[in-house]
Amino acid sequence: MDYGKLEKHYLDLAERVCTQAAQKGVAAEAFINASEELAIEVRNQEVEVLTTARDQGLGLRIISDNRVGFAFTTSFSHAALEACIDQAVANARLTTADEHNCLPARYPGYRQLDLFDSQITTASLEEKIELVKEIERQARAYDPRIKITESCSYSDSRYVVALANSLGVEAAYHGAYCGASTFVVAVEDGESQAGFGLTYGLKYGDIDAGKIGREGAGKAVRMLGAKKVATQRAAVVFEPYIATNFLGVIAPALTAEAVQKGKSLFRGKVGQQVAAPIISIVDDGYRPDGIASSPFDGEGVPSQYTMPVEQGVLKCYLHNTYTAARDGVKSTGNGSRGSFKTTPAVGTTNFYIEAGSLTPEAIIEEIPKGLYVTEVMGMHTANPISGDSSVGASGIWIENGELTTPVRGVAIAGNIIDLLETIDAVGTDLTFFGGTGAPTLRVASMTISG
Amino acid sequence: MLATGDLRAILQAALQGGGSFAEIFIERRRITSIGCEENKIEQLISGLDQGAGIRVIKGENTAYGYSNDLNRESLLQTAALVGKAVEGQVSVNKEIDFKAPAAKVEFKIKIRPEQVPVEEKVALVQKANNAARAVDQRIAQVTVGYSDVSQQVTIANSDGLLVEDERVRTRLVVSAVAADGDKIQTGYESAGGHLGWELFEDFDPEELARLAARRAVMMLEAKPAPAGKMAVVMAAEAGGTMIHEACGHGLEADLVQKQLSVYAGKKGQQVASELITVVDDATVVGKYGSLRFDDEGVPGQKTVLIEKGILKEYMYDYLTAHKEGRLPTGNGRRQSYQDRPIPRMTNTYIAPGKDDPISILKDTKEGLLVKRMGGGQVNTTNGDFVFDVAEGYLIQEGKIGPAVRGATLTGNGPKVLKIIDRVGSDLGFALGVCGKDGQGVPVGDAQPTIRIPELVVGGILDREAGA
């Protein structure tokens, strides 16, 4: 497929819808996302599910007398587009006027990013199927106790984004990403434990079937024979994956949207110490190989590198065009769209905690007794407004600096701010899971409920 | 719209690659959503999402494809492409005679969402917002979200099933934030159902808003929850998250067949206390998980999953039922045309027992009373689950004591179900969106007042550590 041509096709359409809407005397912005997807699921060396898809949609935002109206459609027929314009304009009549509602003006240009690995399209379906089968073989070969494959999959997506607004923004880009994962179960003496391995990124060549398979198997096997522990306070070490889970709770609180609405635990804290000095948090919209990298955000503002927390000090919040206008600052290029179905909110791009100076081994070595947390449950119930979080956890018990027996069925609770402030070691092993990344983190003392 | 002949041609095209079963799911979804925050109507969104998903099955292999393009030629193309993806011998043209199965229940939508002027919907949202804010001056923020969805579906398959259905769902959610100095807490309430605007004949939006606001204010004064093992009484109004997580997911046939459920191979066995009967019922009128037909066109039904502690039945979709040579239970559901159906819950509940709910509390000397549950999660492989307590109190000498915040309950599904020792005669429903394999579907859940003699409460151990 010729993606250059597609970009032009969708950009023309976005401009046409935008112009047509603007003729009704409103400011308008049309956003189009079109994609093609492939997903392969293998179990027991057979392709269980193969999904191929085409998907497209247009979201239209209009501003009239400082009021925003929005409508979307997945049908690009003349009638559907016309209805979409009429609805967006009608909807703006009933929303509340806000002088800060505005669209960004035209930017002179955007950075060229390498977001499209042609290997994702040139690799054959057979080759991709073989890759998934290899992941499963590697997982099974890792240990004879790996007896069940829950899923073993590959997926990729190739997409075009086009954006036009009535202030002259007209821009488009295309990209692709791919990834593979496995969930396997280890069985011994009637006990079952699951483990997963995964990689998602921009490069097909970065998918290492052996590594994914062994990781999933290793994680399942190491949990066999897990026991409970008594309620106590002890050191807690979070694996990078678990640390990214906590980061996901922090992300909304760093948006100016949450701050302006009084819903952020970081409100009024710019310039203050909000985390241990060894913690720096970054949002990088340009990160090479970052799955969330793009030349511009969901409103056409260039992406950028922002460090909201630098050595533990809160420096700034993340902004889109609206929140920036309200605070009298510049947008940080964080106008994010979950899809064409919503107005741009404030969201993160490639969002991560910077790597520290200690290897994960060294972090564990110093602990007389503690828990190395490898799984948490219920993280989505953590409260990003109050910061209160209480999750079910399992992992490996640490005794005299060494990982000993697996532990499950415990709960760990605390406040996210307290947690950030009490981190006393940061690992060198920054690892990304999708758009969020973190290294191994250690908290000197936390309540573990057993 | 496509004619019956077009659907037949598409299914036949899909079978050309040698598949044994083909299905098309066509969907037109219209939504209206309104968002109010900071006393402002910030969002008013209308949308049309339409598309078709085509599925072809050959043995244990499934090929799936979808597209937004609903014209006959494009769908024939997609069908051929999907059909080629399953390996098999080329089959002869299959004759397909369509028949519509009879639904077990009819849902009458009294006031269709498009009959209500948008102005009226906006006014309702504003009323809820004002009511929440009037509760206490410490209410710092109120978010009100309203949405209505009408989803028209056409489902046809090569076994000759043809179903046309419409699902109308309306929902109102209120989230309040209370702040006092450095302390900040939230309260959340929601109402919704397979209903139109008549939802608000049963639910007063202002009362719902006040409940959310009062909870946020109350949590400001709550102490951090204690940590450790204790007796837990769950009120009927707490919702059904526990049964959904502790047992529901493990009874979905896909997980059972893959040996990924602790309940695999246990049909006919005692898996819970004799006091426990668990039901999945799509036919309850007006609930959020209610269905006339599931997303494979199978009539929604009432299924007793566990009866007096004995495991009776799992929840099946077409594929899992076909593997066992039996009929599905009407639990094949999908988020949209972009997803293939998998076994999912509809409205799941623990049936009421015989105990007076008040006596259950009275007979509990010490422990935790859960008045409202938050979200939850389960590891179906080992049965461990967790859920959040949105409103909880200490039980002191059989009476309701001080409120506690930040508690999470952790347990093991099969173990908890076996030790439940009191089941009340009441029943309280809640609604939610359940996520599985990346697909969210609307569900209802419910339970009577129950007592679990011992559950792990995740709180804070050292009193001085509590902030």
Side-chain angles (χ1 to χ4, degrees), chain B residues 92-126:
Chain B
V92 286
N93 262 347
K94 189 178 168 175
E95 284 306 315
I96 304 169
D97 285 318
F98 289 123
K99 256 201 210 90
K104 293 186 194 300
V105 65
E106 292 302 322
F107 300 140
K108 196 172 172 323
I109 302 301
K110 274 165 70 182
I111 309 167
R112 298 184 53 84
E114 70 273 13
Q115 291 173 331
V116 179
V118 185
E119 286 81 354
E120 209 172 309
K121 296 176 185 174
V122 169
L124 178 126
V125 166
Q126 281 166 330

Side-chain angles (χ1 to χ4, degrees), chain B residues 64-107:
Chain B
Y64 195 76
Y66 62 84
S67 162
N68 304 114
D69 208 340
L70 292 184
N71 74 54
R72 181 193 148 99
E73 291 317 308
S74 164
L75 289 173
L76 280 170
Q77 241 175 40
T78 307
L81 203 76
V82 172
K84 252 190 253 166
V86 289
E87 299 155 30
Q89 288 149 1
V90 174
S91 67
V92 286
N93 262 347
K94 189 178 168 175
E95 284 306 315
I96 304 169
D97 285 318
F98 289 123
K99 256 201 210 90
K104 293 186 194 300
V105 65
E106 292 302 322
F107 300 140

Side-chain angles (χ1 to χ4, degrees), chain A residues 272-311:
Chain A
Q272 291 180 30
Q273 195 83 34
V274 295
I278 45 174
I279 295 288
S280 290
I281 302 177
V282 174
D283 182 82
D284 184 0
Y286 284 145
R287 188 178 168 87
D289 295 334
I291 201 165
S293 294
S294 63
F296 52 85
D297 71 359
E299 299 180 292
V301 176
S303 301
Q304 68 174 52
Y305 177 97
T306 313
M307 193 185 274
V309 177
E310 189 176 350
Q311 297 183 349

Side-chain angles (χ1 to χ4, degrees), chain B residues 266-313:
Chain B
K266 295 203 171 147
K267 243 185 223 182
Q269 291 182 31
Q270 187 89 31
V271 295
S273 141
E274 284 180 7
L275 301 170
I276 297 295
T277 292
V278 180
V279 178
D280 182 78
D281 190 356
T283 66
V284 191
V285 173
K287 295 300 176 192
Y288 209 49
S290 302
L291 289 169
R292 283 178 75 228
F293 295 98
D294 72 1
D295 294 319
E296 298 178 312
V298 177
Q301 67 178 52
K302 175 177 176 176
T303 309
V304 176
L305 304 169
I306 295 172
E307 190 174 13
K308 294 182 177 158
I310 310 283
L311 179 54
K312 291 286 181 186
E313 184 63 296

Side-chain angles (χ1 to χ4, degrees), chain A residues 316-378:
Chain A
C316 63
Y317 305 116
L318 302 176
H319 284 280
N320 66 5
T321 304
Y322 169 84
T323 62
R326 191 162 153 177
D327 278 4
V329 297
K330 272 188 166 173
S331 167
T332 54
N334 288 95
S336 86
R337 293 195 195 241
S339 81
F340 56 83
K341 293 179 189 174
T342 57
T343 54
V346 185
T348 55
T349 62
N350 300 294
F351 186 65
Y352 62 95
I353 296 176
E354 276 202 334
S357 56
L358 286 171
T359 62
E361 293 74 24
I363 287 177
I364 291 166
E365 223 169 67
E366 297 170 350
I367 299 174
K369 110 185 151 148
L371 180 65
Y372 179 65
V373 180
T374 58
E375 188 193 342
V376 290
M377 274 200 295

Side-chain angles (χ1 to χ4, degrees), chain A residues 140 143-149 184-195 217 220-225, chain B residues 258-261 381:
Chain A
R140 293 293 181 112
D143 193 294
R145 289 170 294 178
I146 298 293
K147 295 217 166 84
I148 303 167
T149 305
V184 289
V185 179
V187 182
E188 187 175 47
D189 300 334
E191 181 195 354
S192 299
Q193 297 292 349
V221 168
R222 73 183 178 186
M223 286 311 293
L224 285 170
Chain B
K258 288 181 182 175
Q259 300 292 316
L260 289 168
S261 164
T381 312

